[in-house]
Amino acid sequence: MLYIFCPHCGSRSQNEFAYGGDATVKRPELNKEISDQEWNNFVYLRKSPRGKHLELWHHISGCRQWIKVERDTSTHEIFKTYKADELTK
Amino acid sequence: MSQDFRLDNIGKVNRNKKISFTFNKKKYFGYEGDTIASALIANGVHLVGRSFKYHRPRGFFGVGVDEPYAILQLERNNERDPNIRATEQEIFEGLEVKSVNCWPSVNFDIGAINNFLKMFFPAGFYYKTFMWPPSFWYKIYEPFIRMAAGFGEASIKHDKERYEHKYEYCDLLITGSGPSGLASAYAAAKNGARVILAEDKPRYGGSLLTSDVNIGNQTGAEWSEKIITELKSMSNVIVKNRSQVFGYYDHNMLVMSERISDHLPKTQRYLPKQRLWYIRAKEVLISSGSIERPLVFGNNDTPGVMLSSAAKEYMKVYGVLVGKKPLIFTNNDSGYETAIEFKKNGVNPLILDTRKDPSSDIISEAKNLGIEIKFSHVVVAAKGYKKVKSADIAKISDNKKDLSNIENIECDCICVSGFWTPSIHLASQSGNKSEFNEKIDAFIPKKSKQKEHTIGSANGKFTLEETIKEAFDKGYEISNKITENNNKVSIPTVVEKKSTEHDKFWCVPLPKGKSYKRFLDFQNDVAVTDIELALREGFRSIEHVKRYTTLGMATDQGKTSNLNGLQLVSDIENKVVPQVGHTTFRPPYTPVSIGAIVGREVGKHSKPTRKSPMHEWHEKNNAVFVDAGVWLRPRYYKQGNETLFEASKREAKNVRKNVGVCDVTTLGKIDVKGPDAAEFLNRVYTNAWLKLPVGKARYGVMLREDGIVMDDGTTTRISENHYHMTTTTAQAANVLSHLEYYLQLVWPELNVNVVSTTEQWAGAAIAGPNSRALLMKLFPNTDVSNEGLPFMGYKEGDLFGIPAKIYRISFSGELAYEVNVESDFGNFMWEKIIDIGKEFQIQPYGTEALSTLRIEMGHVAGSELDGRTIPHDASLEGLVSKKKDFIGKRSLSRSAFTKPDREKIVGVVPLDKTTSIPEGSYIVKDPNAKLPNPKLGHVSASCWSVEYDNPFSLAIIKDGKNMIGQKLFAMSPLKNKTIPVEIVSSHYVDPEGKRVRA
């Protein structure tokens, strides 16, 4: 079971969290004309890298904040965790 | 009653407390502190089971977790427990155990005929022998194999014992209380670290209990007693015996099973039988020691052949002799310790040492004691069927290939020592890639992947002095890193006998003309010939060889067999062991009972049960409940002998005719607050929200980004920046996460907060033509007229002193209101409604009537919004704004979602107006069409329409809009029904929606 550092609460066991997928996906802006292809990429296409992966976790049984976790998908090593508003370009 | 094999003046069992138990229905006795194994051996019993495949007699091989043979079935307090290791299970008064894998008895076992049918049970026989004809499998082969194989029978009764889970954190977890475990725990604890020390046996000390050493001028056993006593007294230390750390998982999470009551006749009150510990440790020291390796020779599975360390432990810990004419067969110095112990207890052993002329302290001591030693000698084969009676021994040539001077000598046990195998299981589970150490012919841990270190003999260190020093240093070093304290304890001096190198010899060649079975894996009956065959058949990867031959696959997971198997494969392949590699070590290290894994999450305890504040009222009024997620909701209120169908019809009718009340507390409720709340809802819902005035409710549909309907419900503007959102019971948690996702990650600029208020409000839906009249009596000071509180209106009212929220919304399609009060007043509200409603013929109604009412109104619910439908399919396209953007909107313009013949919701009525249509039925044009019959869609929900008194269903079918009026068929292959039906509008009752606005 992973041990995830929540930037709001501290280190907590994985069973307090829900997984939220790739954290680098950016939702297209509202009211913006975009192609089927672009929309399709946003809704369905995800990379499945072996190695470092920036992903979302929801501290669902804790502070209810969504956080970003940089994790190695093969070793489960967690390098760093961020608040939701960090790492936004 | 004396015991023939019990020694008088040695051992740690309590001689003052005799304990009687039965084995295969025969009564025996032992002493408090005995295991089943030690007590039986004391009574001279060695035959305890039959082997897995050939049903050969089985005795005892080890003295702990590595035991491959003595697997028994236990009866305790009327509970049946299979797969008990006799070497671990302590005896208690009244214990009943029996042998497994034998019939009719362990002495005369029919299955032993397999021994003479060996040719049918070669490696991989599962894949060969029972393959043909295929029709024989279910009726003949499988039942036969099931009867013949397997260790013990699991109970099929409900397990009444209690098991618990516990979560614990510590600075340092130490697995094993041998010399390295004790020393490191002591050093770390003295330096202020929070330490957990786990020992799988009842007694602490590990090898110190049996070895002849001296630490700090005390015997090993005295020193360990002193250290453990001090550790137990320290508040920063948890010491646990009978506790096996069996799994090493991610991020230094280890799991330990503690056997709290297994050694007692009955679980004590307030204590569980077993407890499973989830331990998150900052650092882990693996001090799990090592297990002696067997030597391979003919019939080496005969009862009486056992590990020499086990023989020593039976003497020193239990005061039990495993034999009175022992033969010690060794390739290293360890066997000498056992021989010396025999000698000290008045028994003359004979040592066969494979080495030519070794010399060390301990060999000299043995010689001085007058123990007979034959160097360059081996056991060729054990003789005797149910117990060793003699052994053929021989001189072996220097190249270890040729045997000479074969002679038969009498003996009653053969104690083997093929050197030591470090227990690297936990280290390996942590991700540590092991490496082969040539010096000890075994694998040891390499570089740590997680925060773990392996110390002592588990790390291939076999001298006590080195072990103790390293353990003290490590304990200090780790604790210093965590606590930053500098309290260093001094390392005691160690006195031990120096030993010399072991012989790289492990398998005795067969003498000419002999074909003795030489076993590698004792529990699964894997012999040298099986591995040879697998390799001849082309298996190369050690993982494949393992699965094909079942080497190392039994409940002991090859603790004694793995390395000899690898040696054999590498010898035949002309490789070295590291090239062959070892199979993966997976948790659990030892079998764990399912009860411990499940813990207290049994039956209704596996999830919380949510009840509304009105639950007790429902119970008192004969409600029959139904699970709605984790909620319990009244399905119907039973009157007399009513069936579900009759009761729900009565309740639904009463709503249409008079007035009914339904507990809607379970609906998800979310408070949405903030200056940007309107804008947020406008993005979340498909319809427009910016212009909703205060005091008004609106029905909304929300989508996922892929355009599929996620949930629906009404949201009410309570005040300028405050909305009260409702969700379906099932989706409440998902919707909240969904909203939080968009607020925190996608649109953080919106100033909005959301919080669940589901449990804060109790809700009652009052529905039916009499509902307004009732409401006027409930809220005499509030204007609830059609003008004062119009459809989709909202008002706050005073319910006999209790503040209430009144929403004029309707799921039933009738004139209806939902009244919410704070949960604590839920029952008060409910009783008032029932009480005052009497004059209006009020009846409570359950979810079954609720479904009937919504189905005949064509209101969609979970069965239509099933994760596959877009708003169009549920006839909700009118709620999809063309002007604004919202979550999932872009998906709706994809071609599959805009096809003209896309599925749409319709109503379905059977032509005979009497046959109910099973939910899930297919709608087809031609019931006799060639299979697979092209389906137009499926029936999503069915009810008995109380308005028209005939069956009515909702269905989602292709081009539904244009199908209305058509005569089709509903087919249910499951129920074997074909029903001619007519397609009608989904709004079967009051299609104009006049009633809700009345």
Side-chain angles (χ1 to χ4, degrees), chain B residues 692-714:
Chain B
L692 180 74
V694 172
K696 281 281 186 185
R698 184 164 283 175
Y699 174 72
V701 173
M702 58 177 81
L703 307 185
R704 312 191 307 218
E705 290 288 17
D706 62 1
I708 301 291
V709 178
M710 179 173 182
D711 198 45
D712 67 341
T714 55

CSV table of all heavy atoms in Angstrom, one decimal, chain B residues 692-714:
chain,number,residue,atom,x,y,z
B,692,LEU,N,-31.8,31.7,-12.8
B,692,LEU,CA,-32.7,31.1,-11.9
B,692,LEU,C,-32.8,32.0,-10.7
B,692,LEU,O,-31.8,32.3,-10.0
B,692,LEU,CB,-32.1,29.7,-11.4
B,692,LEU,CG,-33.0,29.0,-10.4
B,692,LEU,CD1,-34.2,28.4,-11.0
B,692,LEU,CD2,-32.2,27.9,-9.7
B,693,PRO,N,-34.1,32.4,-10.4
B,693,PRO,CA,-34.2,33.4,-9.3
B,693,PRO,C,-34.1,32.7,-7.9
B,693,PRO,O,-34.3,31.5,-7.8
B,693,PRO,CB,-35.6,34.0,-9.4
B,693,PRO,CG,-36.3,33.1,-10.4
B,693,PRO,CD,-35.3,32.2,-11.0
B,694,VAL,N,-33.8,33.5,-6.9
B,694,VAL,CA,-33.8,33.0,-5.5
B,694,VAL,C,-35.2,32.4,-5.2
B,694,VAL,O,-36.2,33.0,-5.6
B,694,VAL,CB,-33.4,34.1,-4.5
B,694,VAL,CG1,-33.6,33.6,-3.1
B,694,VAL,CG2,-32.0,34.6,-4.8
B,695,GLY,N,-35.2,31.3,-4.5
B,695,GLY,CA,-36.5,30.7,-4.1
B,695,GLY,C,-37.1,29.8,-5.2
B,695,GLY,O,-38.2,29.5,-5.2
B,696,LYS,N,-36.3,29.5,-6.2
B,696,LYS,CA,-36.8,28.6,-7.3
B,696,LYS,C,-35.8,27.4,-7.4
B,696,LYS,O,-34.6,27.5,-7.2
B,696,LYS,CB,-36.8,29.3,-8.6
B,696,LYS,CG,-38.0,30.2,-8.7
B,696,LYS,CD,-39.2,29.4,-9.1
B,696,LYS,CE,-40.4,30.3,-9.4
B,696,LYS,NZ,-41.6,29.5,-9.7
B,697,ALA,N,-36.4,26.3,-7.8
B,697,ALA,CA,-35.7,25.0,-8.1
B,697,ALA,C,-35.6,24.8,-9.5
B,697,ALA,O,-36.5,25.2,-10.3
B,697,ALA,CB,-36.3,23.9,-7.3
B,698,ARG,N,-34.7,24.0,-10.0
B,698,ARG,CA,-34.6,23.7,-11.4
B,698,ARG,C,-34.1,22.2,-11.5
B,698,ARG,O,-33.2,21.8,-10.7
B,698,ARG,CB,-33.7,24.6,-12.2
B,698,ARG,CG,-33.7,24.4,-13.7
B,698,ARG,CD,-33.1,25.6,-14.4
B,698,ARG,NE,-34.1,26.7,-14.5
B,698,ARG,CZ,-33.8,27.9,-14.9
B,698,ARG,NH1,-32.6,28.2,-15.3
B,698,ARG,NH2,-34.7,28.8,-15.0
B,699,TYR,N,-34.7,21.5,-12.5
B,699,TYR,CA,-34.2,20.2,-12.7
B,699,TYR,C,-32.9,20.3,-13.7
B,699,TYR,O,-33.0,21.0,-14.6
B,699,TYR,CB,-35.3,19.3,-13.4
B,699,TYR,CG,-34.8,17.9,-13.8
B,699,TYR,CD1,-34.5,16.9,-12.9
B,699,TYR,CD2,-34.7,17.6,-15.2
B,699,TYR,CE1,-34.1,15.7,-13.3
B,699,TYR,CE2,-34.3,16.4,-15.6
B,699,TYR,CZ,-34.0,15.4,-14.7
B,699,TYR,OH,-33.6,14.1,-15.1
B,700,GLY,N,-31.9,19.5,-13.4
B,700,GLY,CA,-30.7,19.6,-14.2
B,700,GLY,C,-30.1,18.3,-14.5
B,700,GLY,O,-30.3,17.3,-13.7
B,701,VAL,N,-29.4,18.2,-15.6
B,701,VAL,CA,-28.7,17.0,-16.0
B,701,VAL,C,-27.3,17.3,-16.1
B,701,VAL,O,-26.9,18.3,-16.7
B,701,VAL,CB,-29.3,16.5,-17.3
B,701,VAL,CG1,-28.5,15.3,-17.8
B,701,VAL,CG2,-30.7,16.1,-17.2
B,702,MET,N,-26.4,16.5,-15.6
B,702,MET,CA,-25.0,16.7,-15.8
B,702,MET,C,-24.3,15.6,-16.5
B,702,MET,O,-24.7,14.4,-16.4
B,702,MET,CB,-24.2,17.0,-14.4
B,702,MET,CG,-24.3,15.9,-13.4
B,702,MET,SD,-23.4,16.4,-11.9
B,702,MET,CE,-24.5,17.5,-11.1
B,703,LEU,N,-23.4,15.9,-17.3
B,703,LEU,CA,-22.7,14.9,-18.2
B,703,LEU,C,-21.3,14.7,-17.7
B,703,LEU,O,-20.7,15.5,-17.0
B,703,LEU,CB,-22.7,15.4,-19.6
B,703,LEU,CG,-24.0,15.8,-20.3
B,703,LEU,CD1,-23.7,16.1,-21.8
B,703,LEU,CD2,-25.0,14.8,-20.2
B,704,ARG,N,-20.7,13.6,-18.2
B,704,ARG,CA,-19.3,13.4,-18.1
B,704,ARG,C,-18.7,14.1,-19.4
B,704,ARG,O,-19.5,14.4,-20.3
B,704,ARG,CB,-19.0,11.9,-18.1
B,704,ARG,CG,-19.8,11.1,-17.1
B,704,ARG,CD,-19.3,9.7,-16.9
B,704,ARG,NE,-19.1,9.0,-18.2
B,704,ARG,CZ,-19.4,7.7,-18.3
B,704,ARG,NH1,-19.9,7.0,-17.3
B,704,ARG,NH2,-19.2,7.0,-19.4
B,705,GLU,N,-17.4,14.2,-19.4
B,705,GLU,CA,-16.8,14.8,-20.6
B,705,GLU,C,-17.1,14.0,-21.9
B,705,GLU,O,-17.1,14.6,-23.0
B,705,GLU,CB,-15.3,15.0,-20.4
B,705,GLU,CG,-14.9,16.1,-19.4
B,705,GLU,CD,-15.2,17.5,-19.8
B,705,GLU,OE1,-15.9,17.8,-20.7
B,705,GLU,OE2,-14.6,18.4,-19.1
B,706,ASP,N,-17.4,12.7,-21.7
B,706,ASP,CA,-17.6,11.9,-22.9
B,706,ASP,C,-19.1,12.0,-23.4
B,706,ASP,O,-19.5,11.3,-24.3
B,706,ASP,CB,-17.2,10.5,-22.7
B,706,ASP,CG,-18.0,9.8,-21.6
B,706,ASP,OD1,-18.9,10.4,-21.0
B,706,ASP,OD2,-17.7,8.6,-21.3
B,707,GLY,N,-19.9,12.9,-22.8
B,707,GLY,CA,-21.2,13.1,-23.2
B,707,GLY,C,-22.3,12.3,-22.6
B,707,GLY,O,-23.5,12.4,-22.8
B,708,ILE,N,-21.8,11.3,-21.8
B,708,ILE,CA,-22.8,10.4,-21.2
B,708,ILE,C,-23.4,11.0,-19.9
B,708,ILE,O,-22.6,11.7,-19.2
B,708,ILE,CB,-22.0,9.1,-20.8
B,708,ILE,CG1,-21.4,8.4,-22.0
B,708,ILE,CG2,-22.9,8.1,-20.0
B,708,ILE,CD1,-22.4,7.8,-23.0
B,709,VAL,N,-24.7,10.8,-19.7
B,709,VAL,CA,-25.3,11.4,-18.5
B,709,VAL,C,-24.7,10.8,-17.3
B,709,VAL,O,-24.6,9.6,-17.1
B,709,VAL,CB,-26.8,11.1,-18.5
B,709,VAL,CG1,-27.4,11.7,-17.3
B,709,VAL,CG2,-27.5,11.7,-19.8
B,710,MET,N,-24.3,11.7,-16.4
B,710,MET,CA,-23.7,11.3,-15.1
B,710,MET,C,-24.7,11.2,-14.0
B,710,MET,O,-24.8,10.2,-13.3
B,710,MET,CB,-22.6,12.3,-14.7
B,710,MET,CG,-21.9,11.9,-13.4
B,710,MET,SD,-20.5,13.0,-13.2
B,710,MET,CE,-20.0,12.3,-11.6
B,711,ASP,N,-25.5,12.2,-13.9
B,711,ASP,CA,-26.5,12.3,-12.9
B,711,ASP,C,-27.6,13.3,-13.2
B,711,ASP,O,-27.4,14.2,-14.0
B,711,ASP,CB,-25.8,12.6,-11.5
B,711,ASP,CG,-26.7,12.2,-10.3
B,711,ASP,OD1,-27.2,11.1,-10.3
B,711,ASP,OD2,-26.8,13.1,-9.4
B,712,ASP,N,-28.7,13.2,-12.5
B,712,ASP,CA,-29.7,14.3,-12.6
B,712,ASP,C,-30.2,14.6,-11.2
B,712,ASP,O,-30.0,13.9,-10.3
B,712,ASP,CB,-30.8,13.8,-13.5
B,712,ASP,CG,-31.6,12.7,-13.0
B,712,ASP,OD1,-31.1,12.0,-12.1
B,712,ASP,OD2,-32.8,12.5,-13.4
B,713,GLY,N,-30.9,15.7,-11.1
B,713,GLY,CA,-31.5,16.1,-9.8
B,713,GLY,C,-31.9,17.5,-9.9
B,713,GLY,O,-31.7,18.2,-10.9
B,714,THR,N,-32.6,18.0,-8.8
B,714,THR,CA,-33.0,19.4,-8.8
B,714,THR,C,-32.0,20.2,-7.9
B,714,THR,O,-31.5,19.7,-6.9
B,714,THR,CB,-34.4,19.5,-8.2
B,714,THR,OG1,-34.4,18.9,-6.9
B,714,THR,CG2,-35.4,18.9,-9.0
